[in-house]
Amino acid sequence: MLHGHNIIGFEKSAKGQDTFQSFSTLQGTYLADKFHIATNDEIKAAIDKAVAAFGIYSKISFVERAVFLETIAAEILQLGDALLERAHLESGLPLARLTGERDRTMNQLKLFAGLLQEGSWADAVIDTAIPDRQPLPRADLRRILQPLGPVAVFAASNFPFAFSTAGGDTASALAAGCSVIVKAHSAHAGTNELMATAIQRAAEKTGMPDGVFSSLIGEGATLGQQLAANPAIKAIGFTGSYRAGMALYETVTQKRKAPIPLYAEMSSINPVVLLPETLALKTTAIATTLAGSITLGVGQFCTNPGLLFVIKSKATEAFIESLVATLSTVAPATMLNQAICKTYYADRTKLMTTKGVNLVYKGDDLQNEYKGTPALCTVAANEFIASTALQDEVFGPCSLVVICDDKAQLIQALAAMHGQLTGSIFGSQEELLRYKEVVDILQDKTGRVIFNSAPTGVEVCHAMVHGGPFPATTDSRTTSVGTGAIQRFVRPVCYQDCPQELLPLYLQNNNSAGVMRKVNGTYTRDSIV
Amino acid sequence: MLHGHNIIGFEKSAKGQDTFQSFSTLQGTYLADKFHIATNDEIKAAIDKAVAAFGIYSKISFVERAVFLETIAAEILQLGDALLERAHLESGLPLARLTGERDRTMNQLKLFAGLLQEGSWADAVIDTAIPDRQPLPRADLRRILQPLGPVAVFAASNFPFAFSTAGGDTASALAAGCSVIVKAHSAHAGTNELMATAIQRAAEKTGMPDGVFSSLIGEGATLGQQLAANPAIKAIGFTGSYRAGMALYETVTQKRKAPIPLYAEMSSINPVVLLPETLALKTTAIATTLAGSITLGVGQFCTNPGLLFVIKSKATEAFIESLVATLSTVAPATMLNQAICKTYYADRTKLMTTKGVNLVYKGDDLQNEYKGTPALCTVAANEFIASTALQDEVFGPCSLVVICDDKAQLIQALAAMHGQLTGSIFGSQEELLRYKEVVDILQDKTGRVIFNSAPTGVEVCHAMVHGGPFPATTDSRTTSVGTGAIQRFVRPVCYQDCPQELLPLYLQNNNSAGVMRKVNGTYTRDSIV
C-alpha cells in the first residue's frame, strides 16, 4: 500500500539509497515499510516546483483555492480506515482520538475554505483619490494582503493529522495562496504519505499547478536545515521542541541573507492559577479536571498544564491529595515515540531531583513498554522564582505545584514566569476581581487566558489564539490555530492609481462579492460609484 | 534654549561627561549647543521607567491615548518657528519643506488619534459559547490585539520630523499602547530635544505615566546596540541605512535570547518601468516628472527612483537626452549631513566606474560645500542582471537607466531585482494590460505598485504600504506609514470564558462604542444579547 516515496508536486520520487522504517511504540517493533530519504536533487526539485507553482497559485481566485481545500478534506475522508490504522500504529494514539483528530483536520480545511469564500479576510483598504486637495492632490490608494511565497511546514509528532502534513500550517498557508513543502515527521512517515497523497490527488482534481504541494522525507538536521536556509522559502511553520525550534531560528537568522518569518511553536508549560477560596470550595472537582488535563494524550499536548500555582492552606493540601488520588488511577498509556518516552522519564527524574523540589507522586517507569505514567511534584514559590530550570518543559503527564505564601508571592512567582501559550485561572467572579493583577500578568505572558477550565483543548475558530510570548513561540504576533493563522503567510501590497482591470478583484470599485472593506476610513460592503 | 539633556520620562538628565555638537551643513560649522551622551545608568533608568509605564499605559482606554496623541500634535505646533529654524540648521532642508513635514507629522498623530477614537483597529473577534454542541461544548472565545511592550525607536536623518522623534514609529507605537524610547539622531539632536520636550509636556498634561516616552542621545554602536539587546525592549522601529539596519538585525537575532520584531526600513532603489509606446508619446513629460523625483530633497528620500527600466529605441534616446537636460538645470542643494554627502559622492563614483556602466551626466562634486548635484548613468540589461552590485543604493540624486533589448529581457532584469519599497510603471491602460507580467513582478517584489507617477511622496492614510521585501525592510508583513503601522506593535490575546467585568472593553457583550467586530464569523457593530 505504502511506497515510501517523496511526493514532489504530482510525481512520486525515490532517488535516494538511504531509507528508514517507522518504529511502532504500540507494537514495540519497526514497521515493515521503508521510506526513502530525499536527496539534494529531490529537495531542489520540490523547491523549484514550489516557486513555479507559486507564480500561478498566488494569482488564482479565493474561490478556486476554497474548492482545493474542500477537496483535500474529501480526499482525506476517502483514505478511510487505512489512515486511522496507520496513524494508530505509528503514534500509539487510540483510534477514537485519531478519528476525532481527523474530523478536526477536515473541519480546519473547511473553515479556511469558508474564509476564502467570504473573502473579507484579505483586509481590503481603499482610499480614493482627492484630485483637488490642497496643497497636493491625493492619489487613489488601495491595499490588500498578498501571499508571501513558498512555505516550508515542519510536521509535529503529537498531532499526526491536525499539526502535521495536512494540518493547520499547511491549511493556512495554502489558504493564503502560498505553495507548501512539508517536511514529514519521521515518527509517522506512513501517515504522512497517505495524507500527502490525498493533497496531491486534490490538487490534480481541482487543476492546481504542479508543485503547489510537496512532501519530503528526511531529518531536521539535514532536510530541515536545507529548507530553512533556501532563499526561495519565504516563511516557515514549525511545531516541536524548544531545541529543534531554536536550531531552526539560528539557521533562519544566520544562514540566510534575507530574513523570513519563522513561526515556531515550541515550549509551553501552561500555568494554572488556583485562587484560594474557589479551591477550598471545589477541591475535588478542580483536582479531577486537572488530573484529566495533565494525563490527556499521555500529557503530550502543547497546552498540557505543567505548572499549578496555589497559596498555602489546608485546602491546598487536600487538593494535592485529591490530585494524587486521581492521577494514581490513570492507566499507563503508550507514548508517541521512543525519543519522547525516553526524554519524558529523563526530564521528570531531573525535575524530581532538583534542589527544593518534593516528589509527591510518580507512577512506575514503564519506558521499556513505551508507556507514560503520571508524576506530581511541589516546590516553594521562592525556589521557583530563583531557578529558571524549573520552567523547563517536561513533555508528558507530569506537573509541578508551586506553593506560594500569599497573594504577593503568587504575583512575584507569576512575574518570574516565561511566555506561555496559555494561562488558566480558577476563581469565582468575585474572587477573580480581587485578583485582577494576576489576570493582568497572565494576559501579558500568554496568548490565551482561560477562566475556570483546563488548558487542553484548542478550539478551531475565528477567535482562537494558539501562540504567545517566547519561548512559547518565536513570534507572538500570530496564532497557529484558527482562521487568524492565515495572516502569517501574507503581506500587504498597495496599488496607487491602478487601472481597474489590473487591480486584485476585491480592490476593484465593483464589490459584487460584497466583501467587507475599509473605504476612506469607513467599513462597508458597498461598491464604489 | 536647548539644554542638551536626555529626556527620561518626566526628568531631564545629563549625567555623562561626553558631549557632542551638531554640524550644520547649511552653515558649514558646528552649532554651539552641547548634547550629553546617555550613560549606562541613564539608559537603564529610561528602560526601567518604560517597563513601569507600560504596565499602566497599556491598560488605559483608547480614548485617553487619543487625547495624548492629539496633545502631542498641539505641543509640536506650540514649539513654533524655533522648531523649524533648528531643523533647518541641522538638516539643511528648506523651511518650506520642513513646514510641510511638520504638518504631516501632526496629521499623522491626529490620524492615529482618530483610529483610536473609532476603535475597530483592535480587531475584536468573538465566538460565543455553544454549551450543547456535540461531541463537546464550545467555550466562549474572544480575541483582541494587545500592545507588545516597550518599543525602541531609531530616529532617521532624512525626515527630522516625520520619521524621527515624534514621527511615524513613535506615533504608531504610542497608539498601540506601548511605551517608547527614542534613540535621537545625532545629526539633529536639537530638533530631537524640542520634539521630545513637546511629547514630555503632552504626557504630563494628559496624565500619562512617567516613562511612557523617553529620548536618549548616543551612537548606534553603543546606545543603539544596548537598546536592541535589552530583554525589556519588545519591538524596534528603525529607518536608516542597510548597514546600520543589518547591524541591528544581527544584534536582535544573536545578542538576545528572546526574538522580537525588528522593523528596519533600509534600502530601496525604487525601480521605474517605462513602457515603450507611452514613453514615445510622452517623452518630455515623463523625463520632467522623473527629474523632479530624482532630485526631490536632494535625492534623500527612501522612495527615490534609482533605477529606470527602458526598452532600447529612438524614444529611449530622446528620453535620456530630455532627462539630462532637465537634471542639468537643477540647482545644487545642501545635503543632510557630512557623512551622507561624502557617501553620496563616493557611491556615485563607484557606480560610474563600474564595468559596463556609462556615465551620461554628472553635476560637479560640491562635497566641500555639502551640496549634492545630480548624476545619471546607463547600463545594458545583461550587465545589470549579472551584477548585484549595481543594485547597491546610491543615496542622493543619482539614477541608473537599465536598457533592455526587448520585453523578454525587461522581464528577466526585473526578475533579478531585489525587494523594494515601491515599483512604478508608466504606460497607457492598453499597454499596461499587454505588460501584465511586468506588473505581476512589481507586485511580487515591492510594497507599493505605482501607475503613471513618480515614487516620491508617501501619503499618510489607511491604504498606504511603506514597506516591502528584503532588503527594503527586514519584515515585509507591515508598513511604517499609515494607520496599518499600528499593527506592528500588537499581538492577539484570547480570553476563554472570561467574566464580562474582566474583558477588555471592546470584547464585552455591550458594544456601546459601536466598534466593528467579527462575531461568530460575521462582521457587526451590534451588541451581543
Side-chain angles (χ1 to χ4, degrees):
Chain A
M1 197 68 172
L2 295 170
H3 297 90
H5 292 162
N6 294 279
I7 289 176
I8 301 177
F10 295 153
E11 287 173 283
K12 291 183 166 46
S13 183
K15 291 184 181 163
Q17 301 301 312
D18 296 338
T19 61
F20 73 89
Q21 291 162 264
S22 297
F23 183 87
S24 172
T25 48
L26 195 72
Q27 298 190 331
T29 57
Y30 283 92
L31 299 171
D33 316 88
K34 289 186 177 172
F35 295 91
H36 291 261
I37 291 171
T39 64
N40 288 350
D41 282 352
E42 286 173 319
I43 298 171
K44 185 177 181 305
I47 292 172
D48 289 348
K49 276 197 178 186
V51 170
F54 177 75
I56 302 162
Y57 185 64
S58 61
K59 309 279 184 297
I60 70 167
S61 71
F62 291 2
V63 174
E64 285 171 279
R65 281 189 219 156
V67 173
F68 175 34
L69 296 186
E70 297 263 14
T71 308
I72 296 173
E75 289 292 331
I76 290 171
L77 193 60
Q78 247 351 84
L79 294 169
D81 290 347
L83 175 72
L84 300 174
E85 283 156 13
R86 181 73 194 189
H88 178 53
L89 278 182
E90 288 186 324
S91 70
L93 294 168
L95 284 169
R97 141 79 193 263
L98 288 167
T99 306
E101 191 183 328
R102 182 183 62 177
D103 288 350
R104 174 201 168 118
T105 304
M106 295 189 301
N107 287 338
Q108 195 159 256
L109 287 157
K110 290 176 194 169
L111 187 69
F112 280 110
L115 194 75
L116 289 169
Q117 296 275 6
E118 199 277 332
S120 304
W121 72 272
D123 196 23
V125 180
I126 298 174
D127 290 317
T128 55
I130 311 178
D132 55 356
R133 189 183 63 174
Q134 293 302 328
L136 287 170
R138 182 172 84 178
D140 181 282
L141 291 151
R142 303 182 184 219
R143 182 184 86 179
I144 198 162
L145 297 171
Q146 293 284 8
L148 286 176
V151 171
V153 169
F154 288 66
S157 64
N158 61 341
F159 282 82
F161 303 152
F163 284 82
S164 203
T165 315
D169 287 352
T170 298
S172 53
L174 289 176
C178 297
S179 48
V180 169
I181 300 175
V182 165
K183 180 199 155 297
H185 199 287
S186 52
H188 53 254
T191 305
N192 170 75
E193 180 173 323
L194 294 169
M195 280 294 199
T197 308
I199 300 175
Q200 183 193 358
R201 277 196 208 113
E204 289 189 280
K205 279 189 183 174
T206 57
M208 296 297 127
D210 186 9
V212 69
F213 176 84
S214 292
S215 158
L216 300 174
I217 296 161
E219 289 307 310
T222 50
L223 169 61
Q225 295 295 312
Q226 280 191 56
L227 288 174
N230 194 291
I233 298 296
K234 299 301 184 193
I236 295 174
F238 167 91
T239 305
S241 70
Y242 178 77
R243 183 178 300 190
M246 290 311 287
L248 259 187
Y249 179 72
E250 202 176 301
T251 301
V252 164
T253 55
Q254 295 181 34
K255 301 271 188 274
R256 52 182 301 139
K257 195 176 172 196
I260 54 169
L262 165 64
Y263 303 106
E265 189 217 306
M266 302 184 297
S267 168
S268 184
I269 48 177
N270 305 295
V272 178
V273 178
L274 305 169
L275 296 185
E277 287 174 19
T278 302
L279 188 63
L281 276 172
K282 302 185 173 177
T283 314
T284 316
I286 293 175
T288 307
T289 297
L290 290 177
S293 184
I294 290 167
T295 57
L296 191 69
V298 206
Q300 301 164 118
F301 277 29
C302 17
T303 50
N304 189 254
L307 274 185
L308 313 179
F309 289 91
V310 296
I311 292 176
K312 192 183 284 180
S313 73
K314 287 270 173 216
T316 302
E317 288 167 31
F319 162 73
I320 293 171
E321 273 173 37
S322 177
L323 188 53
V324 167
T326 315
L327 288 175
S328 63
T329 65
V330 175
T334 304
M335 294 192 83
L336 288 162
N337 60 55
Q338 291 170 296
I340 283 178
C341 188
K342 190 176 164 189
T343 306
Y344 169 59
Y345 284 105
D347 287 350
R348 85 172 200 185
T349 302
K350 188 178 145 229
L351 175 67
M352 288 166 189
T353 54
T354 300
K355 180 184 148 291
V357 172
N358 309 300
L359 174 64
V360 185
Y361 172 77
K362 67 167 176 167
D364 295 337
D365 183 331
L366 300 180
Q367 204 172 148
N368 292 336
E369 301 170 36
Y370 311 110
K371 286 185 175 171
T373 59
L376 190 74
C377 299
T378 65
V379 72
N382 61 325
E383 300 276 359
F384 175 80
I385 293 166
S387 166
T388 59
L390 292 176
Q391 297 193 47
D392 291 346
E393 187 176 17
V394 178
F395 194 72
C398 173
S399 201
L400 175 66
V401 184
V402 180
I403 300 174
C404 308
D405 290 336
D406 49 26
K407 183 180 172 184
Q409 200 183 34
L410 170 65
I411 288 169
Q412 279 179 345
L414 290 170
M417 193 179 61
H418 302 155
Q420 308 287 347
L421 292 172
T422 69
S424 304
I425 184 163
F426 284 75
S428 66
Q429 184 148 331
E430 184 274 323
E431 201 175 14
L432 286 167
L433 288 171
R434 275 191 284 124
Y435 280 81
K436 180 150 191 334
E437 300 133 283
V438 170
V439 175
D440 284 346
I441 296 178
L442 290 179
Q443 176 199 288
D444 288 348
K445 301 246 175 186
T446 74
R448 178 163 54 114
V449 187
I450 300 159
F451 295 80
N452 293 305
S453 51
T456 42
V458 184
E459 183 75 30
V460 183
C461 62
H462 301 292
M464 178 49 64
V465 177
H466 191 63
F470 183 85
T473 76
T474 49
D475 192 335
S476 70
R477 289 167 293 173
T478 64
T479 172
S480 64
V481 175
T483 53
I486 198 171
Q487 305 289 334
R488 296 177 300 162
F489 301 115
V490 290
R491 66 181 179 91
V493 177
C494 177
Y495 304 80
Q496 179 169 328
D497 291 331
C498 180
Q500 289 291 311
E501 293 83 346
L502 285 163
L503 277 170
L505 183 63
Y506 295 152
L507 288 182
Q508 295 172 12
N509 286 343
N510 183 348
N511 184 16
S512 56
V515 299
M516 182 63 80
R517 311 193 291 191
K518 193 171 182 179
V519 178
N520 296 319
T522 303
Y523 293 90
T524 173
R525 294 185 188 273
D526 294 346
S527 291
I528 293 168
V529 286
Chain B
M1 197 69 169
L2 295 169
H3 298 90
H5 292 164
N6 295 278
I7 289 176
I8 300 177
F10 296 153
E11 287 174 280
K12 290 183 167 47
S13 182
K15 292 184 181 162
Q17 300 301 313
D18 296 338
T19 61
F20 74 90
Q21 292 162 263
S22 297
F23 183 86
S24 172
T25 48
L26 194 74
Q27 299 190 330
T29 56
Y30 282 92
L31 299 171
D33 316 87
K34 289 186 177 171
F35 295 91
H36 290 261
I37 291 170
T39 63
N40 288 348
D41 281 352
E42 286 174 319
I43 298 171
K44 187 178 180 304
I47 293 171
D48 288 348
K49 276 197 178 185
V51 170
F54 177 75
I56 301 162
Y57 186 64
S58 61
K59 309 278 185 298
I60 70 166
S61 73
F62 291 2
V63 175
E64 285 171 278
R65 281 188 220 158
V67 173
F68 176 34
L69 295 185
E70 297 263 14
T71 308
I72 296 172
E75 289 292 331
I76 290 172
L77 194 61
Q78 245 354 79
L79 294 170
D81 289 348
L83 175 73
L84 300 174
E85 283 155 15
R86 180 75 193 187
H88 178 53
L89 279 181
E90 288 186 324
S91 70
L93 294 169
L95 284 168
R97 142 76 194 265
L98 288 167
T99 307
E101 191 182 327
R102 183 184 61 176
D103 288 351
R104 175 200 168 117
T105 304
M106 295 189 301
N107 287 338
Q108 196 158 255
L109 287 157
K110 291 175 192 168
L111 188 69
F112 280 110
L115 195 75
L116 290 170
Q117 296 275 7
E118 200 277 332
S120 304
W121 71 273
D123 196 23
V125 180
I126 298 174
D127 290 318
T128 54
I130 311 178
D132 55 355
R133 190 182 62 173
Q134 293 302 327
L136 287 171
R138 182 171 84 179
D140 181 283
L141 290 152
R142 303 183 183 217
R143 183 184 87 179
I144 199 162
L145 296 172
Q146 294 284 7
L148 286 177
V151 171
V153 170
F154 288 66
S157 64
N158 62 341
F159 282 82
F161 303 152
F163 285 82
S164 203
T165 314
D169 286 351
T170 298
S172 53
L174 289 177
C178 297
S179 48
V180 169
I181 299 175
V182 165
K183 181 201 154 293
H185 199 287
S186 51
H188 53 255
T191 305
N192 171 74
E193 181 174 324
L194 293 169
M195 281 293 200
T197 308
I199 301 175
Q200 184 193 358
R201 278 197 206 111
E204 289 189 279
K205 281 191 182 173
T206 57
M208 295 297 127
D210 186 10
V212 68
F213 176 83
S214 292
S215 159
L216 299 174
I217 297 162
E219 290 306 309
T222 48
L223 169 61
Q225 295 296 312
Q226 279 191 56
L227 288 173
N230 193 291
I233 299 295
K234 300 300 186 193
I236 295 175
F238 167 91
T239 305
S241 70
Y242 178 77
R243 184 178 301 189
M246 290 312 286
L248 260 186
Y249 179 71
E250 203 177 301
T251 301
V252 165
T253 55
Q254 293 181 34
K255 300 270 190 275
R256 53 182 299 139
K257 196 177 171 195
I260 54 169
L262 164 63
Y263 302 107
E265 189 217 306
M266 303 185 296
S267 169
S268 183
I269 48 177
N270 305 296
V272 178
V273 179
L274 304 169
L275 296 184
E277 288 175 19
T278 302
L279 187 63
L281 277 172
K282 303 186 173 175
T283 313
T284 317
I286 292 175
T288 307
T289 297
L290 290 178
S293 183
I294 290 166
T295 57
L296 191 69
V298 208
Q300 301 163 118
F301 277 30
C302 18
T303 52
N304 189 254
L307 274 185
L308 314 178
F309 289 90
V310 297
I311 292 175
K312 193 183 281 180
S313 73
K314 287 270 174 218
T316 302
E317 287 167 31
F319 163 72
I320 292 172
E321 273 172 38
S322 177
L323 188 54
V324 166
T326 315
L327 288 176
S328 62
T329 65
V330 175
T334 304
M335 295 192 81
L336 290 162
N337 60 53
Q338 291 170 296
I340 283 178
C341 187
K342 188 175 167 193
T343 305
Y344 170 59
Y345 284 106
D347 287 351
R348 87 174 198 184
T349 301
K350 189 178 145 226
L351 176 66
M352 288 164 188
T353 54
T354 300
K355 181 183 148 292
V357 172
N358 309 300
L359 174 64
V360 186
Y361 172 77
K362 67 165 176 169
D364 296 338
D365 183 332
L366 300 180
Q367 205 173 147
N368 292 336
E369 302 169 36
Y370 311 110
K371 286 184 174 170
T373 59
L376 190 74
C377 299
T378 64
V379 71
N382 61 324
E383 300 276 0
F384 175 81
I385 293 165
S387 166
T388 59
L390 292 175
Q391 298 192 48
D392 291 346
E393 186 176 18
V394 179
F395 194 72
C398 174
S399 200
L400 175 66
V401 185
V402 180
I403 301 174
C404 308
D405 290 335
D406 50 24
K407 182 180 172 183
Q409 201 184 32
L410 171 64
I411 288 169
Q412 278 179 346
L414 289 170
M417 193 178 62
H418 302 155
Q420 308 287 347
L421 292 172
T422 69
S424 303
I425 184 164
F426 284 74
S428 66
Q429 183 148 334
E430 183 274 323
E431 202 175 13
L432 285 167
L433 289 171
R434 274 190 285 123
Y435 280 80
K436 178 147 192 337
E437 298 133 284
V438 170
V439 176
D440 284 347
I441 295 178
L442 290 178
Q443 176 199 288
D444 287 348
K445 301 246 174 187
T446 74
R448 178 164 54 116
V449 188
I450 300 160
F451 295 81
N452 293 304
S453 51
T456 41
V458 184
E459 182 75 30
V460 182
C461 61
H462 300 292
M464 178 49 65
V465 177
H466 191 64
F470 183 84
T473 76
T474 47
D475 191 337
S476 71
R477 288 166 292 173
T478 64
T479 173
S480 63
V481 175
T483 52
I486 198 171
Q487 304 290 333
R488 295 177 301 162
F489 301 115
V490 290
R491 67 180 179 92
V493 176
C494 178
Y495 303 81
Q496 179 170 329
D497 292 330
C498 180
Q500 288 291 312
E501 293 83 346
L502 285 164
L503 276 170
L505 183 63
Y506 295 151
L507 288 183
Q508 295 172 11
N509 284 344
N510 182 349
N511 184 16
S512 57
V515 299
M516 182 63 79
R517 312 194 289 192
K518 193 171 182 180
V519 178
N520 296 320
T522 302
Y523 293 90
T524 175
R525 294 186 187 273
D526 294 344
S527 291
I528 293 167
V529 286

